[in-house]
Amino acid sequence: MKRICSMLLALLMAFAAPAAWAGSQAVLCADFTLGDASAQDAVKRYTVEIEGELSAEALAKALSELTGLDFSIAAAPAPDGLAVDWAKDSTLVAGLDDRAQKEEFFMYDVESLSWFMMDSLRATLKENLDIENVYYTMDGGKDLTLENLSPVSSFEADQPYMGSAFYCAQSNGAGQVEALTGPVLVGNLPKQAELMENTLDGAGGYREVLKAEEGAVTLTLLRRAKNPDEPEEWTVERAMQADYPDLRNLQTLQAQPVSGHEARRARFETGENEDTRLVDALVFETDEYCFAFAASVAIDDYYGLSGHYEEGEMAGLIQGWMDSLELFEAE
């Protein structure tokens, strides 16, 4: 009897224990942005099973199997993300050779191929590993340098890879990227946010536009150089007038200081009928610059009337983003 019970117990334990080959579900991102920040539905997602540990190398291998391209990498932890080294024999570094490309991922030129591979791996790693930044190198830690790539062809090992839309948006049209220096507005913003615009005005200001929450929220970050002859206070209405000329029903809200600078905050409406949006914006000034942050969302989503968000959920997200804002000195 004991022998029978022992056998039954062993069988039960075998069925209850997870299989040694059990893996994890992952989402692979095929990013066809190719430098165009306005590209619609540029990222295609594929759900797959990953055997064993969900690592950067395993995700890169899965991308290779999906696309037919060699995402050969080695990854190591970085203080705020991952350092990814592309191998010599990866398709990014070595080129396509004479392989037949898969129709779904066919690239007509080397430039498109390079942006596709770098953007896709970055998006996949951020999607699955909950990391903030990805740093690219090649051949054992050297700066990643790719010929026939524009507007930038070299990526420094200590600078995070920002995505093709970022580099192309910053291009001044002559193949050079204008450097952004001085204080910039940063925060704990959504890691999967899509960069739609990143431009400099040539006078010390910049404008960055992000799409977050699967496109439901538009985030705008602004910096403008102050004119000492301007007596007018930097208000929410003044900062947002260019983007939202029809702003109405402006309501002043309490604001927390940003990096020690007194801030002003207001909420207003824009658009009409089914296109009505609610914008929650915050502005503040330093000695040299005026800054603004704004979150724009469909009014039904904001109040939990559309079915996508519960009441108060969107307001909580925006509050968290605003509370995390701070100034970072870019050199």
Side-chain angles (χ1 to χ4, degrees), residues 35 167 215 327:
Y167 299 109
L327 289 178

Side-chain angles (χ1 to χ4, degrees), residues 170-221:
Q170 279 202 325
S171 172
N172 61 9
Q176 299 295 324
V177 177
E178 187 178 356
L180 176 63
T181 60
V184 295
L185 192 57
V186 298
N188 187 24
L189 304 181
K191 293 182 176 65
Q192 278 74 43
E194 180 183 359
L195 181 68
M196 303 301 293
E197 179 183 345
N198 194 301
T199 55
L200 307 179
D201 64 10
Y206 70 82
R207 171 186 170 86
E208 183 177 359
V209 180
L210 307 167
K211 287 285 188 183
E213 292 294 304
E214 298 183 350
V217 185
T218 300
L219 302 178
T220 303
L221 297 90

Side-chain angles (χ1 to χ4, degrees), residues 183 224-227 285-291:
R224 197 200 68 168
K226 290 178 71 172
N227 184 340
E285 302 174 44
T286 65
D287 290 340
E288 295 182 86
Y289 299 103
C290 300
F291 291 88

